[in-house]
Amino acid sequence: MSPSTIAPTARTRPPARAPHPPWWRTALRDALIMALLCVCARAHADEAAQLRAAVAVERARSPAPSYTRAEFLARPALLGAWLAPDGRSVAYLLQGERNRGVWLLPTAGGAPRRLLAHTEADTLSWSRDGRWLLLRSAQQLYALATAGQRGSGAIAKLGGRWERSFEAVDPVLPAAAIVLESPPHVSRLPKRWRLYRVDVQGRQTLLHESAREIVDSAFDSDGRLRYLTLVEGEGYTLYRKDGVRLRVAMRCTRLQRCSMLASDSAGLWLTTNADHGYLRLAHLGEDGALRTLHADPRGEADLDQVVLDPQSGQPLIASYRSATAANYGLTAQAQGQVAAIERRYPGRNLRIEVGRGAGARWLVHERAGSQKGERLHLYDPASGGFREVLADAGFRHGRDTVTRIAESSLARKIAFSYRASDGMRLHGFVSVPPGVDAARAPLVANVHGGPFNLTRPEFSAQTQLLANRGYVVFEPNFRGSTGYGLDYMRAGRGDFGNGRVQQDIVEGVRYLLAQGIGDGERVGIVGASFGGYSALQGVTFQPELFKVAVAAVPPADFGWVLRSYARSQDQFSRGIPMSATMRALALDPADPAIAERLRAQSPVANAQRLRRPVLLLAGGDDERVPIRSVLHYAATLRTLDKDVSLFVDAGGGHQLVDPRTREAYLFLLESMMHRRLGGAAPRAPDAQLRAHLRKNLRLAGPDLAPLRAATGASTAAAGAR
């Protein structure tokens, strides 16, 4: 080839310039960009205006009287209620002073009757034929006859070394349960998982045995096992069972969820976020095609629950509860019925149970952030009538009966959104004391644990007690929270030190202050578990904003806890090791760079920077945040002469469940907030609480000096335990 035929190189011929676009195209592009920015700004301004308007409504309400700590801590005596498949009865668990009983209420009217005087069960399930109740406790599964037939008794052991767990009521056979047997965590024998069907006489049938962990199952109309989900690697594989052969139907990897609901002749109903930003209701066809039936119409929340027809197994209702709770009917008939229920209880967090057959009622569970406990209503689809039931069950704190706090005295939980400094739309709730000028009230950020968890539009004893004492309470669902789609949960990108996630919380506080909500000179931060870690981060790195922190069961070094998780049996997703989930969330426990970054940004590594008072609460038998790590942090602060107080429940775990400790926590919280932010002073502790404080308050800083004098609490060094 001669040189004359060789194409010029870039050096011999400059690249051709693209012609300038016509002036009108550039102008149109700029106009569209400006219009989009204006729309976003207008939407943001509208949201802010709506928030201010909602807060103004709260100021116009009547101020609330002061309630006791016991009234906030009291738990419903009604532990749960479950509608029979035929809609003719409601079974419920009722906690008495000494015994927990099982009761049955006819939905057509009439007095309830007690079926069982004493049970250890914490939940009930109806058999498909409605003639049996399956009672589940930690040790056993018990079948209880409801229609006068004989044969009640334990039908399967639960727990144990070869752990057995109740998976579900058999969705096809009249009276049976599905039970899963799992191998011991530590065993020299080959691991085998076994899925059983157990009938109400205790007869068991092996349905499937696998060397891979079984996590889900679905059955055909003849009761044969049709679909199976197994753990494979760090994800799930759904299999269709054809006789003895398993065929891959779908794979869910890297935090994708795929939970079976029911099968039909054309495939499988499931909830999944595979190939979609949000958890939604979908149908997996026999040909492998995945079709979405319902996703959040607002495009912001994960699907929370699907209600199935108790006869056909067809999905009837889709429910969302991340921010604004909403239910949607999925059939023409269900749409009308659900709309009628939503109109009857507007703005409430409703869970609906459906009955089928002649004379069937539906059971509506009504909840709200400003309502302690749930209210139950029977709905008659034929007449459209409603009737409240079991309203007199009451509340209990220890052995004492406690009156329900009137909703008119509780703060409403206002859902709102705000923009982070990087433009991401974030979610949260704010509770404003009724009858209070929010601009002049102290503000407390109450941060949820997890961090892969969320705050829902439901009652919180801690939030409501703080509001009752005069505080505005902010509950952020920062990036990394669940319930708002997979991208939202992943958006933290492992930045859980003094970084982007903490900045979301700080910017949420500043956003509220900018809207005239809260006194910027009186701001505190509280939380448990990861929320406690965030509280410590706040007073360590943002002391100009946060004046005090209360941290329950807090990791003082999040990276240390991650490494502990990697060695534990904890799981965020069933069957997937916690370490695998953390890797998928950019928090690899084995990555030294991540560990060093989190250590360098941890409260314990920056203890010398602390100049605000801190109250720590810990469990001596905490399985997630070892007590030695909390004691080490407290001792470090003490050595540096920092203002630290420490309460240790020696027998408590990560969940501090002792009623005395729960009340001590609220009392100490009130005391710290009163001293530093100026809210209402706590009521004096009674003799029992004083004794509990005297025993367990290991360190008392200056803010708790009066309490120390009153109770004789120790001031010994934290490490002396």
Side-chain angles (χ1 to χ4, degrees):
M1 183 178 293
S2 67
S4 63
T5 62
I6 299 176
T9 66
R11 290 185 179 181
T12 60
R13 186 179 66 186
R17 293 183 180 178
H20 286 292
W23 67 268
W24 57 266
R25 186 177 297 175
T26 302
L28 178 60
R29 180 201 62 192
D30 292 344
L32 289 174
I33 292 173
M34 290 302 298
L36 180 60
L37 291 174
C38 288
V39 168
C40 292
R42 191 179 308 116
H44 185 56
D46 289 346
E47 288 183 339
Q50 291 170 8
L51 173 60
R52 291 193 297 270
V55 170
V57 170
E58 298 306 288
R59 184 177 182 182
R61 294 172 60 195
S62 298
S66 176
Y67 291 93
T68 66
R69 290 179 292 274
E71 287 173 295
F72 289 102
L73 289 171
R75 294 181 172 176
L78 182 67
L79 303 182
W82 296 265
L83 183 70
D86 64 5
R88 291 177 172 269
S89 302
V90 173
Y92 58 98
L93 284 170
L94 191 64
Q95 181 67 54
E97 182 179 348
R98 291 183 174 83
N99 294 332
R100 179 181 302 173
V102 182
W103 293 74
L104 200 65
L105 175 73
T107 59
R113 62 185 176 96
R114 189 170 65 182
L115 296 179
L116 191 63
H118 177 70
T119 180
E120 296 296 327
D122 51 20
T123 187
L124 311 178
S125 300
W126 285 90
S127 64
R128 190 171 186 275
D129 64 5
R131 302 181 69 220
W132 299 87
L133 285 169
L134 300 178
L135 282 59
R136 181 181 65 191
S137 66
Q139 290 78 35
Q140 68 176 9
L141 186 64
Y142 187 94
L144 177 63
T146 65
Q149 70 273 23
R150 295 184 177 183
S152 297
I155 62 173
K157 290 184 178 180
L158 300 179
R161 185 167 180 267
W162 284 80
E163 184 176 354
R164 285 194 161 198
S165 59
F166 169 72
E167 296 295 293
V169 169
D170 193 302
V172 180
L173 298 193
I178 306 301
V179 171
L180 177 65
E181 182 180 86
S182 303
H185 293 304
V186 180
S187 175
R188 295 181 179 179
L189 299 174
K191 290 186 179 292
R192 308 294 294 178
W193 282 263
R194 300 179 180 93
L195 193 69
Y196 292 94
R197 171 178 281 129
V198 181
D199 68 17
V200 291
Q201 279 73 48
R203 295 185 293 260
Q204 66 180 30
T205 303
L206 179 64
L207 299 171
H208 191 81
E209 183 174 353
S210 172
R212 290 167 292 175
E213 185 168 353
I214 301 169
V215 296
D216 214 346
S217 59
F219 299 81
D220 66 17
S221 59
D222 294 322
R224 292 173 298 208
L225 182 62
R226 182 60 172 160
Y227 289 91
L228 198 66
T229 300
L230 304 179
V231 176
E232 293 190 351
E234 297 180 358
Y236 304 110
T237 302
L238 278 67
Y239 287 95
R240 186 171 59 250
K241 198 172 192 299
D242 297 326
V244 297
R245 188 173 182 179
L246 295 179
R247 299 178 182 272
V248 175
M250 180 179 173
R251 297 186 192 276
C252 290
T253 60
R254 292 190 61 80
L255 302 178
Q256 291 178 342
R257 293 172 58 188
C258 40
S259 301
M260 298 183 189
L261 294 171
S263 67
D264 59 13
S265 59
L268 176 70
W269 295 104
L270 73 161
T271 60
T272 182
N273 55 10
D275 304 321
H276 196 279
Y278 298 92
L279 193 66
R280 86 281 194 196
L281 173 62
H283 187 268
L284 179 64
E286 292 282 331
D287 59 356
L290 189 65
R291 179 175 62 90
T292 296
L293 176 67
H294 202 274
D296 181 18
R298 295 165 295 181
E300 69 176 24
D302 283 327
L303 179 67
D304 182 71
Q305 182 187 28
V306 176
V307 178
L308 303 179
D309 186 303
Q311 292 178 348
S312 68
Q314 179 184 7
L316 290 180
I317 303 171
S319 303
Y320 302 84
R321 295 190 180 88
S322 297
T324 302
N327 295 277
Y328 300 91
L330 302 176
T331 65
Q333 185 179 21
Q335 286 172 4
Q337 306 292 6
V338 170
I341 295 171
E342 291 278 356
R343 283 194 302 270
R344 183 69 167 78
Y345 306 105
R348 313 300 275 184
N349 181 355
L350 305 177
R351 184 169 66 85
I352 303 170
E353 293 185 74
V354 173
R356 280 294 191 239
R361 267 66 169 183
W362 293 13
L363 183 62
V364 180
H365 301 249
E366 178 198 356
R367 294 185 178 183
S370 57
Q371 176 181 287
K372 185 167 176 59
E374 67 176 15
R375 294 186 183 274
L376 299 174
H377 311 273
L378 288 172
Y379 167 63
D380 185 350
S383 68
F386 293 87
R387 175 165 58 92
E388 186 173 2
V389 293
L390 305 177
D392 57 353
F395 292 79
R396 305 192 66 83
H397 181 59
R399 293 190 174 184
D400 298 328
T401 300
V402 178
T403 304
R404 184 200 296 261
I405 301 175
E407 186 171 357
S408 59
S409 297
L410 293 173
R412 296 190 180 113
K413 211 167 189 178
I414 302 168
F416 73 99
S417 299
Y418 61 99
R419 293 281 174 183
S421 56
D422 64 357
M424 183 171 174
R425 187 168 183 257
L426 301 171
H427 303 277
F429 297 91
V430 64
S431 300
V432 178
V436 167
D437 180 359
R440 298 177 180 273
L443 172 63
V444 176
N446 184 8
V447 185
H448 70 68
F452 306 107
N453 203 337
L454 80 163
T455 295
R456 295 181 181 273
E458 296 180 353
F459 179 88
S460 163
Q462 180 170 293
T463 291
Q464 289 293 347
L465 176 130
L466 285 169
N468 188 251
R469 302 309 190 245
Y471 302 93
V472 172
V473 184
F474 168 46
E475 295 175 276
N477 279 325
F478 44 84
R479 73 189 72 196
S481 299
T482 57
Y484 296 93
L486 190 54
D487 289 344
Y488 197 94
M489 185 174 72
R490 284 174 165 162
R493 294 185 177 89
D495 199 3
F496 288 95
N498 181 34
R500 183 62 260 180
V501 172
Q502 185 69 16
Q503 195 173 347
D504 286 352
I505 298 164
V506 171
E507 290 175 356
V509 171
R510 295 196 186 282
Y511 174 79
L512 289 174
L513 295 174
Q515 305 307 315
I517 303 169
D519 179 351
E521 297 301 314
R522 296 188 293 159
V523 180
I525 184 167
V526 304
S529 192
F530 176 83
Y533 169 76
S534 175
L536 298 180
Q537 289 277 2
V539 288
T540 301
F541 295 106
Q542 293 90 30
E544 76 289 348
L545 178 63
F546 299 112
K547 306 305 189 293
V548 60
V550 176
V553 292
D557 179 349
F558 191 50
W560 192 91
V561 172
L562 285 178
R563 294 190 294 278
S564 177
Y565 277 164
R567 299 187 296 269
S568 75
Q569 300 297 327
D570 286 331
Q571 297 175 353
F572 178 74
S573 299
R574 185 172 177 180
I576 309 297
M578 181 68 81
S579 57
T581 302
M582 292 300 102
R583 280 196 299 274
L585 290 164
L587 282 169
D588 186 354
D591 187 325
I594 292 175
E596 175 55 27
R597 171 172 55 81
L598 291 174
R599 187 206 64 78
Q601 297 180 6
S602 68
V604 68
N606 293 275
Q608 73 283 354
R609 299 179 57 162
L610 184 71
R611 55 187 179 89
R612 298 297 186 189
V614 165
L615 168 64
L616 306 172
L617 293 97
D621 198 25
D622 193 326
E623 68 282 7
R624 290 183 179 270
V625 179
I627 182 64
R628 64 182 181 275
S629 67
V630 182
L631 295 179
H632 170 68
Y633 178 61
T636 300
L637 295 180
R638 180 75 174 183
T639 301
L640 294 170
D641 200 27
K642 303 296 182 179
D643 186 347
V644 56
S645 299
L646 172 68
F647 180 98
V648 177
D649 180 343
H654 197 61
Q655 302 291 328
L656 299 173
V657 298
D658 186 328
R660 297 169 302 171
T661 294
R662 294 172 64 227
E663 184 170 1
Y665 174 45
L666 291 189
F667 172 73
L668 293 171
L669 173 68
E670 287 183 275
S671 300
M672 293 291 289
M673 296 298 142
H674 166 65
R675 294 279 296 177
R676 290 292 167 163
L677 305 184
R683 300 187 185 197
D686 60 18
Q688 185 181 34
L689 182 56
R690 285 199 304 272
H692 198 60
L693 290 165
R694 183 166 53 248
K695 177 182 177 182
N696 297 305
L697 188 61
R698 306 303 176 89
L699 285 174
D703 288 315
L704 298 181
L707 173 64
R708 178 179 58 206
T711 64
S714 171
T715 59
R721 180 178 180 271

